[in-house]
Every structure is written in structure tokens, then in C-alpha cells.
Amino acid sequence: MTAELVRGQNHTLPQTRLEIRVSAGTSVVAGATLGDERGTVRGVEWIAHPGSPQLPGLEVSQQAAADHRLAVDLEALPAGAHRVTVLLALPVGAGGPARFGAVPAPFVAVTGLDGAEIATFTLTGLDAESAVSALELYRRQDVWKVRAVGQGYAGGLAEMLADQGVAEATGLAGSIHEAVTRGLARSVAPPPPRTPEGDRVRHATGSADHRPPTPTPTPPPPAPGPAEPLTDPASTAQGPAHPSQPHTAPGPAAARSTGDGPINYAHPGRQHAAPPSPPPTAPPAQPGQPAQPVAGDATGWSMDERLYNQIWGMFEDLARAVAAYRSAVDFAESRMDQELDRALSDPRNRIGGSGDRAREEARAKRDELTSRAREVLDRDLAQLAAESAVVEPALPAAYAGWGNPVWHAHRVPMEIPMALRIGDLHLPERTDLRIPLLVRLPLERGMWVDSGRTASEAAAPMDTDRLRRLAMETAVAHAARLLAVYPPGEFSVHVIDPAGAAAGPLAPLVAAGVLAGPPAAGPGGVASVLAHLTRRVDLVQMAVRAGAADSLPPDLDTGEQLLVVNDFPHGFDDRAVTQLRYLADEGPSVGVHLLMVADREEASAYGPILDPLWRSLLRITPVADSHLADPWVGHAWTYEPLAIPPGSRVLEEVLAAVAAARRAVGR
């Protein structure tokens, strides 16, 4: 029976391997400290936080999220640790709420490995506090208990750490928030939250891992107007799988984590709602066999929407399956080390064959646990690979790679799609299993193609000029895809090329006549384009705030705008840099987006003044690089840019189709 705790109440824990689940109405930072018998934290090595998420017997999430799972093995804690305190804090500088009184009361649950709740605690009564000690696990006379704490701190994370005796708490709190900020900058934006009705459809197969088909979702709310671009909510990421689960890795059919509300099916290009089409059904599976995958195996109001949800479901499945496997391997290694320490602590076992037998037995147990975890992972990977093989050929142009035949028959659409594919992601456990990286449209965040050699292992041995050319070709390909998926005349591309160094890569765009104007060169060209787009942002913002969209000048292009900047910061003075930062911060909300090609090292002379600019942009690379994180577990995924097949003229054909569609509508 679950114990519903109130502040100060405690409850005996029936087991030592636990999960602590946190649910909040906004993104929070979750961490934990270890304390001795007096509750004192001995040093930073006893603090688990996003910048240092693992301690012996304890693992926390690597980034801020609305939901967390903290893994705890009380028997594996360091010697001298008698207390585990769970800490929550609101991120600093993330644009979210600054006090817990402005968000729903966080909910914390202590569960067993099977998910059964042992004790719960709702942190009510918080107001000006921005950090809180939620609960603590403590040992009293060799019995572990949980106590509801709920102690808030208006001074934030620094005050809370100082209260636990941490030296230099202010500096540590700053480094934790900096780690959270870096994590948010490299994290892929999550899709809209899903309820069980919005989960991927699963067909009964005779296996306990599979669910029956999902019910049809309820009709959506009315679509927002053109001045209300659809935005993704805060991340609802969860932490790592528990290290004590070597053989229960969640398969692709495992239940999804759910958000706080139904899928928002509203879309700027939609004028009305229609009933969802019935999702495709797979042929009945043989008892004990996995279901045959089908494209569109998810709910949605169109095939494109079902495919979008299915791809994100595959992304989450792969992230969680690999997290469970890695945690199982870590647990097996930790268990082997503990067994060896116990066995060899007896001097009698260090002489003769006893020590050798202990080592062999510990390693055999480790190998068995690792092998069982790998079998489960291989099963899940095989199922996901089969699903990917079915989904990839069925993707529409916006979701497809350049090698997909759909691009050769592409016609410019009359409404924008839900999302655009900008690359592929994979993990080292199976590099041939690629997940399409989809970003929502309209874009909510600009992109930065990193042309530097120092930030990527694959780029380090490459010639600088070749790398810069690849980076600009990557940017041109993304600009072409955006032009191709927007209705004619509703998307414009501006180019700043201060030194004219990108004439070759820009040739397809220039030859097709799809740019808003010739590429701007020299300081005068840079200033002119930036002034034009800054004016557009200012006018549209003022019109929206005043509710006077009809008062915009008739010559103002209200369509989406993309600014491609090559070789930043060359050709930019201080005023131009300030305008660029302004466009990065304010532009996306009114339809102005950045696509920068730059080497951060070359802009180092500006110092930290440009840090907000880099963080505001999604970093991608012209070569494979492991720098993006998923929003659930925080794996480092290898990003692969979309490559145009050698000898193919698909880019020129697509741009010719865009130009023809524009001429047909007089644009």
C-alpha cells in the first residue's frame, strides 16, 4: 500500500533498489546529495547533478525536464553515506518561471523496480522558493527510511547547497546551471506531449510487451491564427533506466512516457479540423512473434502526422532501450567490483586458489548479466530496424532523404508540412539504424552549421577550405528543402556572403532565381540585409502586440524569411553583430530565421557576448559528429547530414520546380 506522506512524515523502505520519480508542471533540475550521519555533504564528489550525473549507487538526469527518474541502489552507496537528499531547482536563464509558487506543485514518488509506489509526496505551499529539498532517504539503526522534507530556498540552488554544508556553494550552483544550459542548447526539441490516446498504435501479438490498438483521439481544438505559430512545450524527459535492471530493458513496444495533455493537432496551415483517418493495420502476428511493422503505426489527423508521431516514437524507443542496456552493463560491472572487494578483503582469499575462484565467479556473473541485457537489446534493435525499413520508403518529401525517389516527383505543396528532416541520428550500439531528425515547422530555432575543425573529431583532419565548402553546401541544401516544402511565395531566402567566398555552393540557388536578392557582400551589403530584416521584425512585433496586423505597410513581405550567413563574423561590425543577435532572439516568433555557417573559434574575439547566440541556435555539422542529445535520456547521438547522391541533379530539379511554382502564382 502506498504511503502518502506529508511534510516531516517518514516511512520504512522495504527494499534498497529504488526509483525516485519526479513530475513537475515545468522543466526542473533534479539532483541528489549524499550526507554522513550528521547530514553533512563531504564535498562535490558526494553530489549528483546534470554536470556529474553518476555516483556509486546513484544516477540522476543529465538535463532539465518536467519529469525525471532517479536510480538509487542504497547498498552500493559510498562508505559513510547515511543519507540521500533529492533536490529540485528551477533552471536559471532558461526563460521559464523563477519561483515554484508560479507552477503546479511538484510530485515525488519512491517506487520499486517494478514501478509499484512505496511512498509519495506532493510539495505544496511553495511560493518564492526557486529550489527545494524534496525528500531524503536516511539510514537509522541499519534500516532505510524515506522522509518528506519540502524545505524551500528563496536563494535558489546556492542557498540550498550551502545549507547542507557544501563549500563554495555559489560556484557549484553556477556550474550546475551552466551544465543545464549547455544541455538545453544541444538537446533536440521534444515533440508535443502525448496522452495514452496519442501513443503509437500497438497490435496484439500474443506477447506481453504489446498493447492493443490505441483509441481514436478526440477532435482537436481550433487551429491558431497566422500570428500564433505552433510551439513545442517544455521537455518531458525522464532520467536513465535503473542500473539494477539487467534483463528488463524496455522494448519498442513498451509504454511511452506521457505528457500533460493531448496532442495539439492545430497547425498554422490548417483552416479546419477533420476526423482522423483510421491508422493502417498490420496483418495478424503469429502467437509469440512480434507484429509486422507498418508505416503510419501511430495516431494522427493525416498520414504525415501519423508518420511524424511514429518516427518520434522510434526515436524514444531506441533511446530508452539503449539506456536500459547501458545501465544494465554498468550495474553488472559495479556488482562485480563489489563482489571482488568483499571476497578479497579477507586476507585468506588472497593466497592460493580462493582469490582466483572469486574473480572467475564474479566475472562469470558479470558476463551473464551483460549477455542477457544484450539479447534483449538485440531483439529490440531488430524490431526497430524492421520498422525503419518499412517507414523510410513511405515518407513524404519533407521527411525523406535526398536519395528517396519521392524527391524526383516532388511538387511544391499548397500548405506547409508538420516538420522537416535535417539529418539522421544513430547510436554506436547499431550504427546502421538511423532515426530521421525532424524539426517542427515553422522553425522555432535557428541553425548553425559548424565549419570549425576543433569541435569535431571527423572534421579535425580535413582541409579547412574543403570543410568550409561542405558547411556551405549543407546550408544551401537545407535552404532548398525549406523552399521546396513551403507554398509558392511564402518562404524567402536572403544570403549574406561578406567576402563572396561561397559563390560555388550558392550557384544552384542563384541559377534557379529563388533568392530574395543577390547574395549580399561587403560591409554595405551586410548592413542593408540586416537593417531590412530587423525592420520587418520590429514592424510585425508592434502590429501583433497592438492587434493591428492590417496596418502593416503593403510592401512588407509577411511570409517566412530565412537569412543564410556565411563565414561569420567576417564583415560584421559591432552593430551588425548586435542586429544578428536580435534576429536570433526575436526573429523566430515573427517568422525570421537564421541559418549560420561559422567557426566559433574565429569569433572568439567577441568573448562571452556571443554565447547566447550560439546557445540559441541548433548546432549541426557538415560531417558526422556526436553532439546532439535526445530529450528523454540525454544520450550523445551521432548526427549525419543529409547527403545528395553523387552525380544526382535532384537539388537542381527541386529548385527548378520551386521557381516554376513561383512563376505560376506570379511571385
Side-chain angles (χ1 to χ4, degrees):
M1 182 176 179
T2 303
E4 298 181 359
L5 304 180
V6 297
R7 225 177 233 100
Q9 188 176 1
N10 60 39
H11 181 74
T12 301
L13 294 171
Q15 57 201 79
T16 56
R17 293 174 183 167
L18 309 162
E19 276 192 346
I20 300 174
R21 302 185 179 184
V22 178
S23 297
T26 188
S27 288
V28 297
V29 180
T33 61
L34 303 180
D36 57 20
E37 291 180 336
R38 298 184 180 87
T40 302
V41 180
R42 294 183 178 177
V44 294
E45 67 276 6
W46 273 24
I47 303 175
H49 56 82
S52 179
Q54 290 183 323
L55 296 177
L58 180 62
E59 187 170 4
V60 304
S61 303
Q62 299 183 46
Q63 55 200 53
D67 295 292
H68 294 270
R69 290 185 181 180
L70 285 65
V72 182
D73 185 351
L74 297 173
E75 293 181 348
L77 295 177
H82 289 257
R83 184 174 303 182
V84 180
T85 304
V86 177
L87 315 176
L88 305 178
L90 294 171
V92 172
R99 58 189 186 89
F100 275 108
V103 302
F107 174 81
V108 184
V110 180
T111 75
L113 299 186
D114 58 357
E117 291 183 346
I118 299 171
T120 64
F121 176 41
T122 302
L123 284 76
T124 58
L126 298 175
D127 186 13
E129 298 88 347
S130 60
V132 60
S133 294
L135 54 77
E136 62 183 15
L137 314 178
Y138 65 98
R139 180 162 52 190
R140 184 68 53 81
Q141 297 178 347
D142 294 330
V143 176
W144 281 96
K145 297 183 179 182
V146 56
R147 177 187 292 121
V149 180
Q151 174 64 52
Y153 297 86
L157 189 57
E159 182 183 356
M160 180 167 56
L161 293 173
D163 190 46
Q164 296 192 32
V166 178
E168 299 182 1
T170 301
L172 178 59
S175 65
I176 292 173
H177 285 302
E178 178 62 26
V180 171
T181 302
R182 290 196 303 268
L184 291 174
R186 63 188 287 268
S187 176
V188 178
R194 290 170 293 187
T195 61
E197 290 77 11
D199 271 348
R200 299 168 66 195
V201 177
R202 291 296 178 189
H203 307 285
T205 66
S207 169
D209 284 343
H210 290 76
R211 301 193 308 242
T214 309
T216 301
T218 56
E228 300 173 41
L230 194 65
T231 59
D232 288 341
S235 168
T236 56
Q238 291 186 347
H242 197 282
S244 304
Q245 295 175 300
H247 62 282
T248 57
R256 301 266 185 267
S257 62
T258 59
D260 299 325
I263 296 175
N264 182 0
Y265 291 103
H267 194 278
R270 293 208 177 107
Q271 302 302 318
H272 63 277
S277 307
T281 58
Q286 298 297 323
Q289 297 296 320
Q292 295 298 315
V294 293
D297 185 13
T299 55
W301 291 82
S302 67
M303 187 60 172
D304 286 3
E305 194 159 22
R306 292 199 296 271
L307 286 168
Y308 172 84
N309 288 336
Q310 184 174 15
I311 288 170
W312 271 95
M314 294 165 60
F315 189 9
E316 182 177 355
D317 281 338
L318 181 55
R320 294 195 183 282
V322 170
Y325 167 72
R326 292 180 180 178
S327 291
V329 171
D330 289 344
F331 168 73
E333 293 286 348
S334 175
R335 176 174 171 176
M336 180 187 70
D337 292 341
Q338 292 176 36
E339 291 180 350
L340 288 176
D341 288 343
R342 285 195 296 266
L344 299 179
S345 62
D346 187 345
R348 293 171 296 180
N349 291 335
R350 300 174 191 170
I351 302 175
S354 298
D356 293 337
R357 285 194 299 272
R359 292 187 185 92
E360 292 175 0
E361 291 174 0
R363 289 168 182 159
K365 290 179 182 178
R366 188 250 342 248
D367 294 343
E368 179 187 2
L369 291 175
T370 302
S371 176
R372 289 161 59 190
R374 185 71 209 194
E375 288 177 5
V376 174
L377 177 65
D378 288 342
R379 180 200 67 194
D380 295 340
L381 294 180
Q383 186 173 345
L384 283 168
E387 188 172 11
S388 177
V390 172
V391 168
E392 192 70 40
L395 296 178
Y399 301 175
W402 286 115
N404 193 311
V406 70
W407 278 107
H408 294 283
H410 178 66
R411 296 293 181 269
V412 178
M414 298 311 295
E415 66 175 21
I416 67 173
M418 286 190 62
L420 181 73
R421 184 173 185 170
I422 63 170
D424 293 330
L425 299 172
H426 66 82
L427 291 172
E429 280 74 10
R430 182 160 178 175
T431 58
D432 64 328
L433 179 54
R434 307 297 176 90
I435 302 295
L437 175 55
L438 302 180
V439 294
R440 291 295 294 264
L441 295 180
L443 294 173
E444 298 169 2
R445 185 181 183 186
M447 290 184 285
W448 159 37
V449 185
D450 191 349
S451 60
R453 297 173 55 194
T454 58
S456 169
E457 291 184 6
M462 295 182 64
D463 177 72
T464 300
D465 292 338
R466 179 168 176 262
L467 184 61
R468 288 178 175 174
R469 183 180 180 89
L470 281 177
M472 194 60 194
E473 289 174 350
T474 300
V476 168
H478 287 314
R481 291 175 74 88
L482 285 163
L483 285 166
V485 301
Y486 267 80
E490 293 190 14
F491 195 89
S492 300
V493 176
H494 307 261
V495 175
I496 290 179
D497 185 20
L506 288 170
L509 294 175
V510 175
V514 294
L515 294 178
V526 172
S528 176
V529 172
L530 291 176
H532 169 73
L533 293 177
T534 301
R535 172 178 176 268
R536 183 198 177 281
V537 171
D538 289 339
L539 290 175
V540 174
Q541 279 188 338
M542 287 188 292
V544 170
R545 290 168 183 166
D550 295 339
S551 65
L552 289 170
D555 63 337
L556 188 73
D557 183 0
T558 57
E560 300 283 312
Q561 313 282 314
L562 178 70
L563 174 59
V564 180
V565 179
N566 181 45
D567 214 14
F568 176 82
H570 296 295
F572 282 72
D573 56 20
D574 291 346
R575 176 179 173 80
V577 169
T578 301
Q579 288 176 315
L580 194 69
R581 286 187 55 190
Y582 176 74
L583 292 178
D585 292 339
E586 304 295 335
S589 64
V590 290
V592 176
H593 314 285
L594 283 184
L595 177 52
M596 289 180 51
V597 177
D599 179 357
R600 187 169 182 175
E601 291 295 321
E602 294 185 356
S604 59
Y606 285 94
I609 192 174
L610 287 183
D611 287 350
L613 173 63
W614 304 120
R615 286 197 294 262
S616 69
L617 303 173
L618 175 64
R619 176 178 175 259
I620 57 178
T621 51
V623 294
D625 187 48
S626 302
H627 67 277
L628 291 177
D630 63 81
W632 303 284
V633 183
H635 292 313
W637 293 71
T638 298
Y639 167 82
E640 292 267 7
L642 296 175
I644 297 176
S648 173
R649 293 190 55 81
V650 63
L651 181 63
E652 290 78 7
E653 293 171 2
V654 167
L655 291 175
V658 171
R662 287 186 169 188
R663 290 193 296 269
V665 298
R667 299 295 292 269

